[in-house]
Amino acid sequence: MRTYNLTHIKELESEAIYVMREVASQFENPVLLFSGGKDSIVCAHIARKAFFPSKIPFPLMHVDTGHNFPETIEFRDKFIEKIGANLIVASVQKSIDEGKVIEEKGYNASRNGLQTVTLLDAIEEHKFDAAIGGARRDEEKARAKERFFSHRDEFGQWDPKNQRPELWNIFNGMKHFGENFRVFPISNWTEMDVWQYILAEGIELPSLYFSHQRDCFVRDGVIMSESEFIPQKPEEITQEMQVRFRTIGDMTCTGAVASDADSLEKIIEEVAATRTTERGTRSDDKRSEAAMEDRKKQGYF
Amino acid sequence: MEADSNSYLDMELLRFSTAGSVDDGKSTLIGRLLYDSKSIFEDQYEAIELSSKKKGEEGVNLALLTDGLRSEREQGITIDVAYRYFATPKRKFIIADTPGHIQYTRNMVTGASTSNLSIILIDARKGIIEQTYRHTFIASLLGIPHVVFCINKMDLVEYKEEVFEQIKKDVEAFASKLDVKDIHFIPISALHGDNVVNASKNMDWYQGGTLLYLLENIHIGSDHNHIDCRFPVQYVIRPQTDDYHDYRGYAGRIAGGIFKPGDKVVALPSGFGSTIKSIDTLDGSIDEAFAPMSVTITLDDEIDISRGDMIVRENNQPTVSQDLDVMICWLNEKKLQWRGKYAIKHTSSDARCIIKDIKYKVDINTLHRLEEDKDIEMNDIARISLRTTKPLFFDSYKRNRYTGSVILIDEMTNETVGAGMIINK
């Protein structure tokens, strides 16, 4: 007998497509946040599926810290051209130049926190009423309670105690003037799901995800890529290492892992066997136990 | 996390919710499930090891794994629905972890709304308490197909079979009055791990499977409605490019039934008939589509269809009406206003409605109908009548969770204030 069951990956895809279509229907001016990382690439892929054979009916936006891996930018530009989408670049450097934010100083200085200001400014400037992101609930404790449709007040703030209940698959995107939403279509995916989906769908990724030779140094047990953006201490000696990245963010806070995984299949094997979370390589989360919760309240993803 | 890459793509998804009161070990149970199924990462484990030490606890408190927000960590309770994920080689699981205290009925309802299965914890020392009735009632009200009662803290009653059997008998007695299709009982100790992932060595009288075994093997294939064809149109796709000049596709997620090209269909509310020309996806056209797939349907005839409309089969149509009776769970601090007006969302349809009547409130601890009590406050459950500004196309919630559910929205604050399950009159 024919059974009518979806595999879990197909069910998650269907849910994410549904969310994309709700965004396009419920909001006037949505935007898809695109970092060049695998989660945002998967989101863009799903957006294509949701509206095929039309093009994605909203632009993609990259919040550019100016401290990107060059590979990310190269990939981003090719990808955008291939899918024929509009790209908006919001620049953290510009926020710094305009004096809206002050750069952190010292060895562990990162522009990661500054992104929030640039993001909120860009949302205001372009009058976006919904920003779609690739955040997942399995990434971090504070995200476990995030909604698919996450309401933000006119200051872009997230109030964890006052979120709208989300029932069945009915999403409430109603809002007052000046308020906006963050929407997370792949909320229910895990890191493993994302990788399996990338493999199953044949999705292209930046080369950073695959094992390669790179000049690195070790700080607080995390392997960092040598870069003009990070001042090294004398004892932090650069050496060539065989590494890959599990997440892609700002060069100043994204750590690499020693790895020989140079294909999707090998990466999946590695993810299946790994014993630390992917955010374990993110130094920005290590600042305090509630680091992510604090940044989210201020309007970070 | 042990799944290998080939079998991984064949896995099914099981969504379950957990309900329990503050002290009955719910967080410990989830922590135990995650820990024993090897879904905990080293850095997560180190973090809770450190917190346990800070609090001066003996050993590692697995319950800390699921404590999310700072305010909760301070109070030591879970205040909102939190979602957790783990996988075994057989299935992938989404846990909606909900607090069980009475003031959190709304969270329980939220968590239950998408679940295939509910785990209800009972403290073996206490047996059935008020909360057990409440949790079971909510599971039945929300139409959760499978309910598993975990009799926890068996270690504290010397793993006695009589204790388990008595509680089982008591639960069966009241559950028979409710509409719960599939009930299971497991004696466990979340603290020590008995019958959670590994079979207990202390209860050889128990012949059933462990909790994880049940979660991995319970049949969920029939949890979706594959009989009544319902396709709420979410979005109309009109590329207007050279390649797809006249293309008009209706995008949506199938809420029930199986659709195939060639099927005779009717669009509601217009009532115009047509035939399905194709069912499209980016990966090509497909031969059939069923709930809960997201697809795009094209029709042979050009008829006017927009968001909020519904494509159904000619010979199996939903109720079309502006009047509906619903069981409502109130979610907001501001009381339900009798004769009040609210925005209402049902599938992809938006309308407004007026509360015509409050028929009775349910005492969720005794299940009595309180016909005189019209004060519907946050966490209350009541039967009410609504009239909408335009016809909705619906089924009873019992028949279909997706075409049988509505939410009410306060038009001043835009908050979601009510969750309604439609009753067929």
Side-chain angles (χ1 to χ4, degrees):
Chain A
M1 207 188 93
R2 171 89 171 83
T3 56
Y4 292 97
N5 261 354
L6 289 184
T7 63
H8 87 279
I9 289 281
K10 280 283 162 198
E11 189 169 338
L12 291 174
E13 182 196 56
S14 165
E15 177 178 85
I17 289 175
Y18 175 81
V19 174
M20 289 286 179
R21 289 168 172 171
E22 279 306 289
V23 174
S25 303
Q26 292 198 34
F27 297 96
E28 277 170 29
N29 197 15
V31 63
L32 193 154
L33 295 167
F34 186 80
S35 67
K38 66 180 190 314
D39 299 320
S40 68
I41 294 168
V42 163
C43 277
H45 181 78
I46 284 166
R48 284 180 68 204
K49 287 198 158 193
F51 304 105
F52 172 83
S54 282
K55 288 199 169 146
I56 301 174
F58 38 76
L60 276 59
M61 181 163 81
H62 182 210
V63 179
D64 183 353
T65 62
H67 289 174
N68 293 291
F69 290 95
E71 291 92 333
T72 310
I73 300 299
E74 188 192 325
F75 177 88
R76 177 193 79 188
D77 294 342
K78 261 199 225 155
F79 182 83
I80 296 294
E81 199 188 317
K82 196 179 123 199
I83 67 170
N86 283 332
L87 177 74
I88 295 166
V89 177
S91 157
V92 173
Q93 185 63 52
K94 199 169 144 242
S95 304
I96 295 169
D97 296 344
E98 288 170 359
K100 287 179 174 160
V101 290
I102 294 169
E103 254 192 296
E104 293 181 1
K105 294 188 178 69
Y107 284 112
N108 286 318
S110 160
R111 288 184 172 181
N112 204 47
L114 310 185
Q115 286 182 77
T116 307
V117 174
T118 309
L119 171 67
L120 295 179
D121 281 353
I123 286 174
E124 213 170 296
E125 182 193 333
H126 296 278
K127 301 196 165 48
F128 292 127
D129 52 1
I132 304 165
R136 308 189 320 264
R137 287 175 181 152
D138 82 319
E139 281 178 79
E140 213 277 337
K141 271 185 184 178
R143 283 185 170 159
K145 304 192 173 185
E146 186 55 282
R147 304 295 195 258
F148 278 90
F149 274 40
S150 177
H151 177 257
R152 304 298 163 105
D153 66 14
E154 61 268 50
F155 300 104
Q157 294 182 107
W158 181 67
D159 178 2
K161 280 197 174 162
N162 189 24
Q163 297 190 77
R164 295 178 183 176
E166 238 164 34
L167 297 110
W168 301 291
N169 57 0
I170 311 178
F171 297 113
N172 174 3
M174 288 172 74
K175 61 185 181 317
H176 293 294
F177 184 77
E179 297 177 339
N180 59 71
F181 275 77
R182 304 290 164 79
V183 181
F184 306 110
I186 60 167
S187 285
N188 276 333
W189 299 43
T190 60
E191 183 184 17
M192 187 59 149
D193 296 331
V194 170
W195 282 114
Q196 290 288 350
Y197 186 70
I198 288 166
L199 177 66
E201 295 283 308
I203 296 171
E204 275 182 59
L205 292 182
S207 57
L208 293 164
Y209 281 110
F210 301 95
S211 177
H212 56 282
Q213 293 276 328
R214 175 174 288 268
D215 287 335
C216 296
F217 66 95
V218 176
R219 174 175 294 176
D220 300 333
V222 179
I223 303 171
M224 304 297 293
S225 175
E226 187 191 57
S227 121
E228 53 180 307
F229 310 124
I230 318 175
Q232 277 167 249
K233 296 174 192 169
E235 68 274 20
E236 294 171 337
I237 297 154
T238 299
Q239 46 185 316
E240 198 176 51
M241 295 167 91
Q242 188 73 27
V243 296
R244 67 176 204 87
F245 292 86
R246 284 177 79 185
T247 67
I248 293 182
D250 194 292
M251 281 190 96
T252 60
C253 65
T254 308
V257 288
S259 167
D260 296 322
D262 55 5
S263 68
L264 284 173
E265 288 83 355
K266 284 186 194 164
I267 290 172
I268 287 166
E269 262 173 50
E270 193 183 281
V271 171
T274 193
R275 302 301 305 145
T276 54
T277 61
E278 53 186 335
R279 292 203 79 89
T281 58
R282 294 288 285 255
S283 53
D284 45 330
D285 286 345
K286 290 195 167 171
R287 295 188 172 188
S288 87
E289 205 185 343
M292 173 71 96
E293 189 181 337
D294 290 341
R295 274 180 293 147
K296 271 181 75 75
K297 282 182 182 165
Q298 291 155 12
Y300 184 80
F301 257 78
Chain B
M1 281 290 139
E2 304 279 310
D4 77 62
S5 54
N6 295 324
S7 66
Y8 199 88
L9 291 175
D10 291 326
M11 285 169 23
E12 283 175 328
L13 183 61
L14 176 76
R15 298 175 197 246
F16 67 94
S17 54
T18 51
S21 44
V22 180
D23 297 317
D24 57 15
K26 180 172 59 70
S27 297
T28 310
L29 175 65
I30 295 173
R32 175 60 66 185
L33 262 180
L34 298 176
Y35 183 72
D36 283 357
S37 65
K38 303 188 171 53
S39 312
I40 305 288
F41 294 107
E42 272 167 15
D43 49 337
Q44 291 175 317
Y45 190 76
E46 279 165 19
I48 63 160
E49 209 173 11
L50 197 70
S51 309
S52 300
K53 259 190 212 150
K54 262 194 213 161
K55 291 185 181 164
E57 294 183 32
E58 273 177 53
V60 175
N61 184 353
L62 291 176
L64 293 175
L65 277 171
T66 59
D67 281 351
L69 305 171
R70 177 186 284 173
S71 46
E72 292 176 5
R73 280 198 297 280
E74 282 160 5
Q75 294 169 37
I77 52 159
T78 319
I79 50 169
D80 196 354
V81 187
Y83 295 89
R84 322 277 170 202
Y85 303 85
F86 74 104
T88 67
K90 282 201 164 162
R91 273 186 184 158
K92 139 126 191 182
F93 301 96
I94 301 179
I95 313 174
D97 179 12
T98 68
H101 196 265
I102 190 158
Q103 67 195 91
Y104 302 123
T105 296
R106 65 177 209 144
N107 294 336
M108 245 181 294
V109 168
T110 303
S113 73
T114 51
S115 296
N116 308 83
L117 182 146
S118 172
I119 294 178
I120 297 175
L121 276 157
I122 299 176
D123 186 328
R125 294 169 304 173
K126 296 180 188 156
I128 295 183
I129 55 172
E130 217 176 67
Q131 303 197 10
T132 318
Y133 294 108
R134 187 162 74 237
H135 298 160
T136 312
F137 172 61
I138 289 169
S140 120
L141 185 72
L142 271 291
I144 299 182
H146 317 279
V147 178
V148 181
F149 290 91
C150 285
I151 320 301
N152 190 25
K153 306 199 180 179
M154 287 301 291
D155 52 312
L156 299 181
V157 295
E158 292 154 33
Y159 298 105
K160 276 190 194 140
E161 184 176 7
E162 307 89 80
V163 176
F164 172 74
E165 288 299 332
Q166 185 58 49
I167 294 173
K168 185 176 166 188
K169 224 199 282 166
D170 295 344
V171 171
E172 279 169 339
F174 84 83
S176 63
K177 293 176 212 146
L178 294 167
D179 186 35
V180 190
K181 289 172 210 147
D182 183 30
I183 296 189
H184 300 262
F185 297 89
I186 307 177
I188 64 165
S189 163
L191 188 65
H192 299 293
D194 297 82
N195 288 333
V196 179
V197 170
N198 303 312
S200 172
K201 293 190 181 84
N202 300 307
M203 291 179 275
D204 45 15
W205 46 265
Y206 173 71
Q207 303 299 319
T210 63
L211 176 61
L212 185 66
Y213 179 86
L214 186 73
L215 294 174
E216 284 185 319
N217 293 286
I218 202 159
H219 177 70
I220 53 171
S222 321
D223 292 357
H224 279 283
N225 178 326
H226 293 313
I227 297 161
D228 313 308
C229 294
R230 305 284 185 261
F231 185 74
V233 174
Q234 225 189 325
Y235 188 87
V236 180
I237 294 177
R238 300 202 58 193
Q240 293 171 313
T241 54
D242 292 345
D243 290 351
Y244 296 96
H245 192 73
D246 295 320
Y247 189 93
R248 185 184 260 274
Y250 306 107
R253 195 174 193 193
I254 293 169
I258 299 154
F259 287 87
K260 295 182 173 124
D263 283 351
K264 293 258 179 263
V265 292
V266 168
L268 298 173
S270 73
F272 290 130
S274 186
T275 307
I276 295 180
K277 184 167 151 193
S278 65
I279 302 173
D280 298 338
T281 72
L282 177 71
D283 309 309
S285 297
I286 53 176
D287 297 336
E288 59 182 1
F290 50 90
M293 287 169 72
S294 284
V295 295
T296 301
I297 288 178
T298 65
L299 301 178
D300 276 337
D301 307 277
E302 211 166 282
I303 49 181
D304 187 26
I305 297 177
S306 51
R307 177 175 166 89
D309 293 359
M310 191 183 279
I311 296 173
V312 301
R313 294 296 297 271
E314 234 170 3
N315 53 2
N316 176 340
Q317 298 198 19
T319 307
V320 179
S321 175
Q322 283 176 261
D323 290 292
L324 43 158
D325 263 30
V326 306
M327 286 299 274
I328 194 123
C329 174
W330 201 247
L331 311 169
N332 201 265
E333 281 159 358
K334 217 160 98 191
K335 281 188 218 170
L336 170 72
Q337 302 293 309
W338 191 60
R339 304 293 303 170
K341 289 175 185 134
Y342 295 92
I344 182 169
K345 277 181 175 284
H346 169 256
T347 67
S348 56
S349 185
D350 286 291
R352 300 179 68 216
C353 70
I354 181 164
I355 311 297
K356 273 175 42 192
D357 193 14
I358 299 170
K359 295 197 163 155
Y360 57 82
K361 181 156 116 183
V362 180
D363 180 326
I364 52 175
N365 293 320
T366 61
L367 308 187
H368 291 147
R369 294 176 179 187
L370 310 171
E371 291 184 5
E372 302 309 314
D373 191 349
K374 312 279 185 192
D375 243 14
I376 310 303
E377 298 178 40
M378 183 151 83
N379 297 308
D380 282 344
I381 290 169
R383 179 165 173 163
I384 60 172
S385 300
L386 308 171
R387 183 167 174 85
T388 54
T389 48
K390 65 176 194 187
L392 301 182
F393 330 118
F394 59 85
D395 298 287
S396 71
Y397 183 80
K398 256 189 186 173
R399 183 113 190 135
N400 189 319
R401 275 169 130 178
Y402 297 99
T403 55
S405 51
V406 296
I407 61 167
L408 300 191
I409 296 165
D410 183 310
E411 293 180 309
M412 292 295 290
T413 64
N414 291 328
E415 286 172 330
T416 303
V417 292
M421 289 139 278
I422 301 173
I423 300 164
N424 240 1
K425 281 180 276 187

